[in-house]
Amino acid sequence: MAQQADVVLFNGKILTLDARSSVAQALALNGERIVATGTTAAMLQRAAPQARRIDLGGRTVIPGLI
């Protein structure tokens, strides 16, 4: 079973900065770790019942920048 997320950022543009320069719609986090990236629907399915869900409204996220 896929690891559940306690925070899901969705409806955005997630720049993964991987070797293929992939762009995802959503990001799932558990604690301080990224557990998955993918479509909004797929990442919302990973959300635990009490998870915080953050609608990015189309904004861009670059993980790793603080």
Side-chain angles (χ1 to χ4, degrees):
M1 182 173 154
Q3 186 176 10
Q4 285 195 316
D6 54 17
V7 177
V8 175
L9 307 175
F10 66 96
N11 191 26
K13 183 177 177 182
I14 313 297
L15 304 181
T16 64
L17 303 178
D18 63 7
R20 295 179 299 164
S21 297
S22 301
V23 178
Q25 295 175 338
L27 173 73
L29 300 160
N30 192 332
E32 295 182 5
R33 296 202 177 263
I34 296 171
V35 294
T37 60
T39 65
T40 292
M43 294 307 102
L44 288 174
Q45 286 181 346
R46 284 182 169 261
Q50 73 283 4
R52 184 172 174 201
R53 293 163 175 84
I54 301 171
D55 185 346
L56 297 172
R59 292 181 295 238
T60 301
V61 172
I62 304 172
L65 296 181
I66 299 175

